[in-house]
Amino acid sequence: HVLVLATTMFAVAFLSLVLVPPVGALLLAGCFAALVVLDPLAAKRGEAPLWFARLRPVQMAIPAICLVGLAFL
């Protein structure tokens, strides 16, 4: 489960490098937004430290919002 998620995130990050900038930025923003949801779930299942449940949503929302803003500049 964790390996599939990590591989998928890596593939999406690589794909965002070859796409045109607005699309790549939005794709990365989507990945960061997915981590806002997935990291607290992983912490509750014991796959990540418990502090991930509180810190990671705030930490991942910041780059997601910035990338969406960047895509529309």
Side-chain angles (χ1 to χ4, degrees), residues 23-43:
V23 177
L26 290 174
L27 188 61
L28 280 177
C31 281
F32 280 113
L35 289 175
V36 167
V37 175
L38 294 174
D39 280 347
L41 293 175

Side-chain angles (χ1 to χ4, degrees), residues 9-73:
M9 293 293 182
F10 179 79
V12 169
F14 178 76
L15 181 63
S16 71
L17 291 173
V18 296
L19 293 174
V20 292
V23 177
L26 290 174
L27 188 61
L28 280 177
C31 281
F32 280 113
L35 289 175
V36 167
V37 175
L38 294 174
D39 280 347
L41 293 175
K44 290 177 184 166
R45 286 191 305 256
E47 297 172 355
L50 289 176
W51 52 267
F52 267 44
R54 292 191 63 203
L55 174 67
R56 295 290 279 191
V58 175
Q59 190 179 29
M60 294 299 110
I62 293 168
I65 292 167
C66 291
L67 283 165
V68 168
L70 182 67
F72 291 109
L73 280 182

